[in-house]
Amino acid sequence: MRLSQYFMPILRDDPKEAEIVSHKLMLRAGMVRQEAAGNYSWLPMGFRVLKKIEQIVREEQDRAGALEVLMPTIQPAELWKKSGRYDAYGKEMLRIKDRHDREMLYGPTNEEMITDIFRQGVQSYKDLPRNLYHIQWKFRDEVRPRFGVMRGREFLMKDAYSFDVSREAGQHSYNKMFVSYLRTFARLGLKAVPMRAETGPIGGSDSHEFLVLADTGESGVFFDGDFHEMDWGKVEVDYDDAGAVAKLVERFTSKYAATDEKHDAAEFERRVPAAKRMTGRGIEVGHIFFFGTKYSEPLGCEVQGADGKKVAVQSGSYGIGVSRLVGGIIEASHDDAGIIWPEAVAPFQVGLINLKVGDAASDEACLKIYQALQAKGVDVLFDDKDGGAGGKFAAMDLIGLPWQVIIGPRGLKDGIAEVKCRKTGARENVALDQVVGRFTA
Ligand code: ATP
Ligand code: MG
């Protein structure tokens, strides 16, 4: 992509409305634009990141055996009246009437609808287990939308729903999602600590939240320092092996970690030696619940068991805040100059800077590298705009692409380009004909 043809409305100064760094940087880098409180347009750069995150979430859901569907954003109120949540949900639910005066709502979550879909599609225990998920926009009329996409009103969520014939089978489904979350967040370059959580208005028995540690997080967190030493990158397990999956989950759940809502100071002191007692703040990026028959009973979602008797199915629901993650990743990965994208979610891998547009040798060298990178499938943003070096460097640092390739007349005399790593700041001179190889090896 040529910067001269791109749409990236960069702001020079910090926007006044932004309180936290991710919100500031997302606005400054031209990733999003606010349309109403907690309601954002995703501009090209932001949208690329959102899609990359979404794809990693999808791949790990699929790997864990979940099946992707897509339910509508608008739901009929009827289903929610059956579950009893139409009134319980209160003002957070955006209620709408259609032209026939039928009550509708913009879905804040999908337990009711998916349970109804499942009820119509299965009869026997042989149809279980199943896990269905979608990645869809939600609306919650939050009292205090803030921090940009972190607490929006319209936001993108991955929500999965498991259906099992027994509690034990349901536990295995829960555990599989637990593991898939560990894998997902590790791939996103995040350490998201699983913590015991309150089940909240969705209700249920077992529940964990996954929190990214950051000073600007909304939750207070208390955890065992051992989490810092855990090998997050190595979460490999055969999902069909219930015992192995349970053991892996146990490795994480056996250590003390709780959000302020569930924190028990006495237990913390008893279980964690003083030197390892960590406290701080965290951003909730995922939340999993096991709630048994809470929705299947009122909605009549039952199957015929092996003994011929009807049983209500056992369910759980599993959310990931896909759009919140864009802000969460920035909170965890930035410096004074701007964003530092982890490679896996970077909008482009390489930013190619032409320091002297109009200089024939510079133009030619840049074009050659640009075309060669594209031919090799490397996502590259080519700054081919006329402008001073200082502004170009600042913009490239702000948008945080993992690598910069800097080309100008001075280096070209010696046949070299400068390659800069955004994360470490390390710069290296690389022969022109070696540049492309650096990103394709
Ligand atoms: P919170 O405690 O932050 O209000 P929640 O417990 O209401 O979240 P869940 O129903 O568990 O949220 O939703 C699943 C995930 O969706 C959350 O873990 C979070 O990452 C994301 N999420 C929830 N509310 C918002 C929001 N207003 N804006 C952006 N993401 C959100
Ligand atoms: Mg939650």
Side-chain angles (χ1 to χ4, degrees):
M1 176 57 61
R2 285 171 177 274
L3 195 56
S4 62
Q5 293 165 14
Y6 205 45
F7 186 74
M8 192 175 80
I10 281 188
L11 305 178
R12 207 177 274 275
D13 300 311
D14 275 345
K16 280 192 282 300
E17 71 267 32
E19 294 170 66
I20 62 170
V21 68
S22 60
H23 189 195
K24 274 184 200 150
L25 290 173
M26 285 181 75
L27 292 172
R28 283 195 52 209
M31 293 175 64
V32 290
R33 192 183 84 129
Q34 182 175 307
E35 303 299 350
N39 186 259
Y40 290 85
S41 290
W42 292 79
L43 305 182
M45 180 78 77
F47 195 53
R48 281 180 84 98
V49 176
L50 187 69
K51 286 284 159 190
K52 290 218 165 164
I53 296 173
E54 179 183 328
Q55 185 56 24
I56 289 173
V57 170
R58 174 177 290 116
E59 285 169 17
E60 291 303 330
Q61 290 292 291
D62 293 348
R63 190 194 300 272
L67 305 167
E68 188 169 12
V69 299
L70 185 60
M71 290 174 268
T73 53
I74 307 289
Q75 306 184 17
E78 222 178 294
L79 277 172
W80 288 72
K81 289 186 175 163
K82 278 193 203 157
S83 73
R85 281 209 296 179
Y86 191 61
D87 293 328
Y89 223 96
K91 288 197 163 174
E92 279 205 359
M93 180 184 276
L94 181 64
R95 295 152 208 259
I96 307 163
K97 274 195 182 156
D98 71 8
R99 68 198 296 162
H100 305 293
D101 236 20
R102 277 190 288 253
E103 290 175 302
M104 316 284 282
L105 56 100
Y106 196 121
T109 179
N110 285 68
E111 280 81 5
E112 283 76 359
M113 187 173 278
I114 198 79
T115 304
D116 200 52
I117 289 173
F118 198 71
R119 179 181 68 82
Q120 291 202 337
V122 297
Q123 282 95 43
S124 154
Y125 71 96
K126 289 177 191 155
D127 300 323
L128 300 173
R130 288 292 182 276
N131 184 324
L132 302 175
Y133 78 98
H134 71 164
I135 300 174
Q136 177 63 293
W137 294 91
K138 307 288 187 286
F139 193 94
R140 295 181 184 175
D141 204 349
E142 302 271 355
V143 195
R144 213 146 92 79
R146 56 181 185 156
F147 300 160
V149 300
M150 299 265 262
R151 183 163 297 283
R153 291 195 298 167
E154 189 173 342
F155 60 96
L156 188 61
M157 193 203 285
K158 182 286 300 180
D159 39 327
Y161 304 89
S162 64
F163 301 94
D164 284 278
V165 73
S166 67
R167 268 204 81 89
E168 302 73 65
Q171 184 67 50
H172 179 46
S173 293
Y174 182 89
N175 289 348
K176 282 201 284 189
M177 282 292 111
F178 190 108
V179 172
S180 84
Y181 277 36
L182 294 172
R183 291 184 54 93
T184 302
F185 297 127
R187 280 186 64 186
L188 294 173
L190 293 172
K191 260 189 201 172
V193 181
M195 307 202 178
R196 244 192 293 164
E198 206 65 79
T199 47
I202 294 192
S205 40
D206 202 358
S207 176
H208 287 89
E209 288 178 347
F210 289 75
L211 285 104
V212 173
L213 303 175
D215 295 339
T216 47
E218 290 187 288
S219 317
V221 297
F222 303 82
F223 61 99
D224 190 322
D226 280 355
F227 275 107
H228 286 311
E229 266 91 68
M230 307 210 35
D231 194 354
W232 300 82
K234 280 226 179 69
V235 186
E236 280 291 347
V237 70
D238 172 3
Y239 276 120
D240 292 329
D241 184 341
V245 172
K247 218 184 213 165
L248 177 54
V249 169
E250 233 255 324
R251 237 174 68 204
F252 287 85
T253 54
S254 60
K255 305 221 179 293
Y256 189 95
T259 59
D260 37 18
E261 289 169 334
K262 273 259 170 161
H263 177 56
D264 177 337
E267 187 190 343
F268 192 38
E269 282 180 24
R270 185 159 35 84
R271 287 179 49 194
V272 186
K276 284 194 174 174
R277 277 176 223 145
M278 306 284 156
T279 61
R281 304 202 68 77
I283 301 164
E284 180 195 325
V285 290
H287 197 163
I288 60 179
F289 304 89
F290 185 71
F291 48 70
T293 60
K294 183 176 158 101
Y295 299 99
S296 60
E297 265 175 19
L299 293 163
C301 181
E302 21 179 60
V303 293
Q304 193 147 37
D307 58 2
K309 284 195 199 123
K310 294 235 169 199
V311 287
V313 302
Q314 298 277 338
S315 287
S317 72
Y318 313 92
I320 290 183
V322 178
S323 51
R324 176 178 287 183
L325 273 165
V326 180
I329 290 170
I330 296 174
E331 287 296 325
S333 185
H334 67 269
D335 61 14
D336 289 343
I339 302 166
I340 303 173
W341 290 117
E343 301 248 1
V345 301
F348 299 91
Q349 293 310 111
V350 177
L352 172 62
I353 301 177
N354 184 350
L355 284 179
K356 203 158 178 89
V357 174
D359 170 65
S362 298
D363 291 351
E364 193 199 317
C366 282
L367 188 62
K368 227 170 136 185
I369 288 177
Y370 176 56
Q371 288 173 338
L373 284 171
Q374 283 193 313
K376 294 277 185 193
V378 178
D379 282 335
V380 51
L381 182 65
F382 174 21
D383 180 356
D384 59 343
K385 281 168 82 168
D386 207 2
K392 283 172 179 260
F393 292 145
M396 209 46 100
D397 280 352
L398 171 66
I399 65 175
L401 310 183
W403 298 97
Q404 297 172 13
V405 174
I406 302 154
I407 292 180
R410 209 182 306 158
L412 284 181
K413 273 195 293 197
D414 304 321
I416 54 160
E418 195 175 35
V419 174
K420 177 180 156 185
C421 171
R422 174 66 181 89
K423 188 172 173 184
T424 62
R427 296 159 179 276
E428 200 186 322
N429 288 330
V430 177
L432 283 176
D433 59 358
Q434 309 276 303
V435 170
V436 174
R438 286 289 297 265
F439 305 105
T440 53

